[in-house]
């Protein structure tokens, strides 16, 4: 018989840990620190692991950041939230997200729009990702997004935009409208 080839485990290029004792070139306490660590216009894939925690950050991943994989410790444990509109903007291409929650925390009684993510870029993949918002939860632009086993929660007009999106075994939840929408 032929001996089985050895498989080298892939180490992450950057780890986000809100409880990290030390931070540096490979470890940070915020998602923003990971965004800063990603090389510009890289052809090589950059891997980021995000430990469980609630990350209150308004984030923008520019188009110059591409070929990035973000893996969360667990979908319900990694919550990226903010009251900015949108809470998260993604302009890079060839971005992969897995096991995360994007949450817009605007007060729906005060703010009409509640965008959890504005996904531009192209050929981006979302697997086991949850999107929580009110109106306009998920906005897409750019081209060719793929969503697998995702959840999208909202109340009105909460999935929109000009991007081409393929939803594969995703759940869409129409939540109860608030007082403002009556």
């Amino acid at each position: 018989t032929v001996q089985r080839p050895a498989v080298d485990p892939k180490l992450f290029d950057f780890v986000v840990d809100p409880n990290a004792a030390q931070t540096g070139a490979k470890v940070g306490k915020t998602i923003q620190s990971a965004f800063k660590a990603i090389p510009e216009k890289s052809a090589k894939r950059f891997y980021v692991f995000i430990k469980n925690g609630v990350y209150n950050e308004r984030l923008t991943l520019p188009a110059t950041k591409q070929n990035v994989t973000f893996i969360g410790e667990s979908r319900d444990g990694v919550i990226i939230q903010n009251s900015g509109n949108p809470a998260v903007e993604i302009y890079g291409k060839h971005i992969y997200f897995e096991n995360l929650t994007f949450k817009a925390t605007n007060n729906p009684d005060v703010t009409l729009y509640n965008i959890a993510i504005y996904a531009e870029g192209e050929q981006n993949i979302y697997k086991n990702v949850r999107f929580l918002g009110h109106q306009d939860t998920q906005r897409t632009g750019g081209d060719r997004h793929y969503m697998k086993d995702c959840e999208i929660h909202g109340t009105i007009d909460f999935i929109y935009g000009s991007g081409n999106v393929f939803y594969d075994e995703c759940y869409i939840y129409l939540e109860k409208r608030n007082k403002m929408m009556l």
Side-chain angles (χ1 to χ4, degrees):
T1 62
V2 177
Q3 187 174 7
R4 180 181 290 182
V7 177
D8 292 330
K10 171 64 183 150
L11 298 177
F12 288 94
D13 297 305
F14 196 89
V15 175
V16 179
D17 182 355
N19 301 313
Q22 291 184 312
T23 59
K26 292 191 174 255
V27 177
K29 292 186 176 195
T30 65
I31 309 289
Q32 186 63 47
S33 63
F35 280 19
K36 287 180 183 177
I38 298 166
E40 298 277 329
K41 299 180 182 177
S42 177
K44 182 182 175 214
R45 185 147 292 274
F46 190 85
Y47 294 88
V48 177
F49 181 74
I50 305 170
K51 291 200 165 206
N52 285 342
V54 176
Y55 299 90
N56 292 300
E57 303 178 59
R58 186 174 187 292
L59 300 168
T60 300
L61 186 67
T64 57
K65 307 284 183 159
Q66 58 191 24
N67 297 317
V68 185
T69 295
F70 295 94
I71 306 287
E73 189 172 353
S74 70
R75 187 197 69 191
D76 297 334
V78 176
I79 300 170
I80 302 168
Q81 66 181 24
N82 196 270
S83 62
N85 252 330
V88 178
E89 295 175 278
I90 306 298
Y91 294 99
K93 63 181 180 178
H94 308 293
I95 310 296
Y96 178 86
F97 293 96
E98 185 174 347
N99 299 333
L100 307 167
T101 294
F102 294 109
K103 182 178 179 182
T105 58
N106 294 344
N107 179 346
D109 291 327
V110 176
T111 307
L112 182 62
Y113 303 106
N114 205 273
I115 304 169
I117 189 167
Y118 175 41
E120 274 279 342
E122 67 178 75
Q123 297 179 354
N124 294 340
I125 298 171
Y126 301 82
K127 183 177 181 188
N128 195 33
V129 175
R130 189 169 51 164
F131 303 91
L132 304 174
H134 171 60
Q135 181 174 346
D136 302 338
T137 302
Q138 178 209 347
R139 178 181 174 194
T140 57
D143 195 19
R144 298 180 290 179
H145 303 275
Y146 177 72
M147 300 205 175
K148 171 76 172 152
D149 301 324
C150 293
E151 287 184 12
I152 304 159
H153 297 252
T155 57
I156 184 171
D157 190 27
F158 60 97
I159 298 173
Y160 78 110
S162 61
N164 295 319
V165 184
F166 184 81
Y167 297 93
D168 187 358
E169 298 187 29
C170 295
Y171 289 94
I172 299 172
Y173 294 94
L174 180 61
E175 303 291 351
K176 186 176 180 181
R177 292 183 186 186
N178 67 352
K179 292 179 240 172
M180 187 177 84
M181 300 306 295
L182 299 175

